[in-house]
Amino acid sequence: MPKFFHILFIIVICLYDFATLKTIDLGWDFGNNTIYVSGLKKFEFSKKFGSITEKGYWYSINEFCAAEHGGTHFDAPYHFFQQGLKVSEIDVSRLYAKGALIDLTFESQQLGRNSRLRVKHLEEWETRNGPFENGTVLLVKFGRSKYWTNRSLYFDLEGETLNFPGFSNEAAKWIVDSKKFYGVGLDTPSVDPGNTTDFSVHQLLAKNSLYNLENVKLLEELPEKGFTLIVAPMKIEDGTGAPLRLFAVLPDVK
């Protein structure tokens, strides 16, 4: 769809009666407890200021510093592909997407760190819902958000070895070959399993211009389809990734 019609559609949505819509925030707060992989700069306020001025009004301003890839964040293709787009180069039309969800919470409870998104899950989703639509962002729920406040459990650590679930290579290839997707997201720190040594899923998705949404907060119930995702990364020039605001918009069924 031409960019003009994407923008027009967004304007129409904004003018729509929002009493009929429900918006769910799918991002974690950034602060002292935000989770990062070892070796990355954690979020911190490098300067905080707040005071009543001489004229009697309140004025506050902070400065912060953080790595691009921590908390709920956006991976640009450039993160794992030298010729890939950087954050600020992603066309806005690809940041307003049809949402789809595959819930692997029960399977993840059974398989633990060995849980993977597999081709059968994608095919089973289509059996239930029909083909994925063009312009989709796929969210995969492994049930990991409940561990967010516990770094050791969230990463499933053995020493400093990470062991959380992720996508299989075969599922990533199926997604790429379908040509239906703008990107993918999940409730773990990475689309690759935690114990990866080659980040092959990252490489494959990046080379095919898909973006990743990682550490998505998936605590509230979402349907398998029928919702819209608003993907709003900080527009960092030359960014390999960025802190992310992510919203799901769906009918408010009462």
Side-chain angles (χ1 to χ4, degrees), residues 156-242:
D156 195 357
L157 290 174
E158 285 184 357
E160 280 300 311
T161 300
L162 313 177
N163 293 287
F164 51 79
F167 287 24
S168 69
N169 291 334
E170 295 77 15
K173 185 175 186 304
W174 190 99
I175 288 168
V176 165
D177 290 345
S178 76
K179 303 187 185 303
K180 297 287 187 69
F181 298 89
Y182 290 156
V184 299
L186 73 176
D187 58 347
T188 80
S190 171
V191 291
D192 279 284
N195 59 5
T196 185
T197 58
D198 59 9
F199 295 93
S200 54
V201 173
H202 271 91
Q203 291 189 60
L204 179 59
L205 296 177
K207 288 177 182 177
N208 288 276
S209 299
L210 274 72
Y211 56 74
N212 309 323
L213 316 176
E214 296 172 331
N215 293 326
V216 176
K217 186 173 85 170
L218 293 175
L219 289 175
E220 295 192 51
E221 291 298 320
L222 283 174
E224 287 196 310
K225 63 180 295 186
F227 61 96
T228 298
L229 288 174
I230 299 172
V231 182
M234 182 186 294
K235 194 176 181 181
I236 300 176
E237 186 176 2
D238 293 332
T240 72

Side-chain angles (χ1 to χ4, degrees), residues 75-125:
D75 283 359
Y78 181 67
H79 186 35
F80 272 87
F81 182 51
Q82 190 172 5
Q83 289 74 44
L85 294 175
K86 300 171 184 176
V87 176
S88 63
E89 297 169 337
I90 305 293
D91 193 285
V92 67
S93 65
R94 298 178 67 84
L95 300 178
Y96 190 84
K98 298 177 178 68
L101 176 78
I102 294 178
D103 189 343
L104 298 181
T105 300
F106 178 76
E107 184 168 312
S108 183
Q109 290 172 345
Q110 307 304 308
L111 299 178
R113 62 183 57 172
N114 296 315
S115 182
R116 300 286 184 270
L117 175 70
R118 302 194 184 279
V119 170
K120 70 173 184 177
H121 300 128
L122 296 159
E123 293 175 340
E124 288 168 357
W125 189 98

Side-chain angles (χ1 to χ4, degrees), residues 18-24 220-221 248-253:
F18 276 92
T20 66
L21 298 177
K22 180 180 180 180
T23 302
I24 299 175
E220 295 192 51
E221 291 298 320
V249 183
L250 61 158
D252 189 5
V253 179

Side-chain angles (χ1 to χ4, degrees), residues 41-80:
K41 175 69 175 179
K42 295 182 179 180
F43 181 95
E44 68 170 350
F45 284 115
S46 52
K47 180 179 180 181
K48 298 186 75 172
F49 173 80
S51 179
I52 301 294
T53 68
E54 293 179 356
K55 294 186 177 181
Y57 60 85
W58 171 260
Y59 175 72
S60 63
I61 188 168
N62 300 326
E63 297 175 2
F64 71 87
C65 183
E68 296 170 319
H69 300 272
T72 305
H73 68 277
F74 180 97
D75 283 359
Y78 181 67
H79 186 35
F80 272 87

